[in-house]
Amino acid sequence: MWSAAGNALLGRGVARDLLNGDTVPVAGRLLGHGPEAWIAFDEEVRRLMRSPGTWEGARRLEARLCHPDGRIREATLAAWRRPPVQLVLLRCADRVPQVRRRARRVLGRLVAQHPVRNRDRARRALNRPMADDPAHVLTALVPFALRLGGREHGGWAVEQLEAALSGRYSLLAAWWRPGLASTTWSWNSLTARQREGMFERLTGSADRPTRRFAARVAVACGQYGARELALFFRRRARSGDRPDVDRRRSGGAGRRRTG
C-alpha cells in the first residue's frame, strides 16, 4: 500500500508527464491509488499551467478539467461524457459556483452509469472482481470525500454520503434529469442490504477517517441493534483504532432498534 506522501508524489509526476505529452490516460495510472494522488495531480496541473510556457498536453481533457480558468473547467465537464469520477468529485468542491453545480450533476450521472461503463476497465486495472452495484462506487468515494470535507465547499459530498447511508433522500443524482431511470440513479434507492454492505466495507477499511465516519453515521442513524454495534466495535478494537463515539449512545441506538 502506498503512503499518503508516495501517492502525492505519484500524482505530481503524472501531472508533469501529462503536460509534457504523455498519452497514457490519467485514470489508468492513478486508479487504485489514494485520494492524495488525485488531489496532488489536480494541484500540480493548475500550478504548472499558471507558469509561463507552452505545454504539449494542455489540450488533454484531464488537464482542462484542472485548468486555472473556471470557465474551461466548467466547459470540460459539459463536454466530457465519462470523466474520471475522482476528478469530478474534486470539482464538486470547486471554488467557482458554476463549476460546482455542473460537477454535482455529472457525479450523479457517473454513479448511475458506473456498473455498465467502467466495470471492465476497473477490473483490468485492479486485477480483481468489480461488483455491478453503485453502492461499491459510493463506498470507494468515501475516503476521497472525507479528504475534501475540510475545504470551504467540500462538505457537500460528505453530506450526500451520510444521507445515502442513513436511508434518507439525497439530492445528488436527483439534480440530473430527475425521473428518468435511464440516466439517473437515486442515492435514496439504496436498499437496506446495500447500506449494510457499505457499512461492512467502510468499517473494515484500512483508512482510519473512513472507519470513524462509518461509526458516527451508524450510531446517528440508529439502524443497527446492540449486537451489530458490538461486532462493529470489536472490529475496530482489533484494528487498534479507538471508538470515537460514546458507547452509551451506541447502546441507546441498539435499544431503540431492538425495543
Side-chain angles (χ1 to χ4, degrees):
M1 179 180 295
W2 289 54
S3 66
N7 277 316
L9 184 63
L10 173 68
R12 289 191 290 270
V14 171
R16 290 191 293 271
D17 291 346
L18 171 74
L19 291 178
N20 283 323
D22 186 9
T23 59
V24 177
V26 170
R29 296 189 62 182
L30 296 185
L31 188 64
H33 291 276
E36 293 81 8
W38 295 90
I39 293 171
F41 170 83
D42 176 53
E43 293 173 348
E44 185 71 359
V45 168
R46 191 152 45 253
R47 185 186 73 82
L48 292 173
M49 294 190 76
R50 286 194 181 106
S51 61
T54 302
W55 295 98
E56 184 179 347
R59 297 188 65 81
R60 286 277 298 276
L61 291 172
E62 296 100 322
R64 293 173 65 81
L65 198 52
C66 305
H67 197 279
D69 189 330
R71 293 167 297 185
I72 293 177
R73 296 196 299 275
E74 182 187 8
T76 305
L77 283 166
W80 197 356
R81 292 187 58 191
R82 292 190 293 275
V85 66
Q86 295 86 352
L87 292 181
V88 176
L89 189 60
L90 276 166
R91 299 285 71 85
C92 288
D94 202 279
R95 65 181 183 274
V96 179
Q98 294 88 336
V99 177
R100 290 198 304 274
R101 288 195 293 268
R102 172 73 68 174
R104 292 170 184 182
R105 293 197 299 269
V106 171
L107 185 61
R109 172 169 57 84
L110 291 177
V111 171
Q113 295 180 343
H114 185 277
V116 176
R117 303 291 188 183
N118 297 341
R119 180 195 60 207
D120 293 335
R121 183 176 66 181
R123 183 178 292 156
R124 289 192 299 269
L126 300 178
N127 194 29
R128 64 172 183 254
M130 300 294 293
D132 300 336
D133 187 347
H136 284 259
V137 187
L138 304 186
T139 304
L141 290 180
V142 169
F144 206 154
L146 293 174
R147 296 300 192 281
L148 299 177
R151 297 189 178 187
E152 182 179 1
H153 304 289
W156 177 85
V158 177
E159 292 171 0
Q160 302 306 309
L161 287 163
E162 288 180 356
L165 282 166
S166 302
R168 303 193 313 268
Y169 179 71
S170 170
L171 289 177
L172 178 64
W175 287 355
W176 181 264
R177 298 187 183 182
L180 297 182
S182 60
T183 57
T184 191
W185 179 85
S186 173
W187 292 47
N188 193 49
S189 67
L190 279 174
T191 65
R193 185 182 183 89
Q194 285 176 315
R195 291 198 299 272
E196 183 179 351
M198 286 186 67
F199 272 117
E200 181 67 24
R201 291 188 290 273
L202 292 172
T203 57
S205 172
D207 182 62
R208 179 173 293 185
T210 296
R211 297 196 303 272
R212 290 176 171 172
F213 169 79
R216 177 169 58 81
V217 177
V219 172
C221 69
Q223 287 197 342
Y224 286 89
R227 179 176 178 275
E228 290 88 346
L229 285 172
L231 289 171
F232 168 77
F233 285 126
R234 281 202 294 271
R235 183 184 299 115
R236 295 195 71 189
R238 287 197 300 270
S239 72
D241 194 20
R242 295 179 60 188
D244 300 299
V245 295
D246 191 329
R247 288 175 185 265
R248 290 173 298 178
R249 288 183 60 198
S250 68
R255 285 191 293 273
R256 287 193 299 271
R257 170 68 179 266
T258 58

